[in-house]
Amino acid sequence: MLRWERPLVVAVCGAPGAGKTTVACATARRLGVLFLTRDAIKVGLGLSSASVAKDGGVQLNPDFHIAGGPLSLRAETVMANAARLLASSGASFVVESSVLSHKLLDVLLASDARVLAVHVVAHESVIGERLRTRAAEGGAVDQQLSSQFQRGEMNRSIFDPPGGVDAVVEVDTSDGGDPDIEPIEAAVVALIR
């Protein structure tokens, strides 16, 4: 894990289906730092309250399948607390969530960390297709998000990175394939100089 004079946090946000997890994972791998994602925390919380289904599989609590529900809010709190601990210990890391919530942003800005916000975008048609594909695979949350997207309830502006950060980079993943994270690397270099 990289350690600089001051920790650096790359905070990746964007609409569901934009490709933010792919971008965040590639960035963390390239920088050699931890990758903190709300979805993984939510899965961990979901498994902690799961039970065995009649067919022998895992049965998650119904709250798990509600985007923005109680479990999502708990995951946001856990993520903000983890980010606080990492930043206060001097660790640099990548954090990913659809929206850089006030709770998470306040934690990051209160630390001594430099914060690079990365806004991941894609053409509407690409996001729509990605969400339809996920929904077809049967995920209840993905079906909910796809439905919201089709009704026009996911306004791009709500995913815009907030002010107060040290720098902002936009990455467009519309063309598919490996994401171009060179602009992120260039911003990191500029921030650590």
Side-chain angles (χ1 to χ4, degrees), residues 2-131:
L2 292 176
R3 290 188 63 86
W4 294 296
E5 188 176 307
R6 287 176 51 211
L8 176 81
V9 178
V10 179
V12 180
C13 68
K20 65 191 166 300
T21 302
T22 302
V23 169
C25 188
T27 300
R29 195 172 34 253
R30 182 82 58 91
L31 297 176
V33 297
L34 291 172
F35 174 39
L36 183 62
T37 177
R38 190 179 66 112
D39 287 346
I41 292 169
K42 182 179 175 185
V43 168
L45 290 171
L47 288 175
S48 68
S49 62
S51 58
V52 177
K54 290 180 182 180
D55 65 1
V58 175
Q59 180 174 341
L60 296 168
N61 181 307
D63 285 345
F64 183 83
H65 301 291
I66 302 171
L71 192 59
S72 290
L73 296 175
R74 281 182 42 220
E76 181 70 26
T77 298
V78 170
M79 187 170 71
N81 288 335
R84 179 183 297 111
L85 288 170
L86 288 169
S88 67
S89 71
S92 294
F93 58 97
V94 174
V95 62
E96 176 262 329
S97 187
S98 291
V99 178
L100 296 182
S101 69
H102 290 294
K103 184 183 290 188
L104 177 60
L105 189 63
D106 289 349
V107 162
L108 296 176
L109 296 178
S111 73
D112 191 35
R114 291 164 288 200
V115 180
L116 168 63
V118 176
H119 186 205
V120 180
V121 298
H123 297 297
E124 250 185 63
S125 60
V126 173
I127 290 174
E129 182 57 32
R130 288 174 183 168
L131 290 176

Side-chain angles (χ1 to χ4, degrees), residues 154-179:
M154 282 199 277
N155 184 337
R156 174 186 159 131
S157 66
I158 68 170
F159 302 103
D160 285 343
V165 298
D166 295 292
V168 177
V169 172
E170 184 172 281
V171 174
D172 190 325
T173 65
S174 296
D175 63 358
D178 291 333

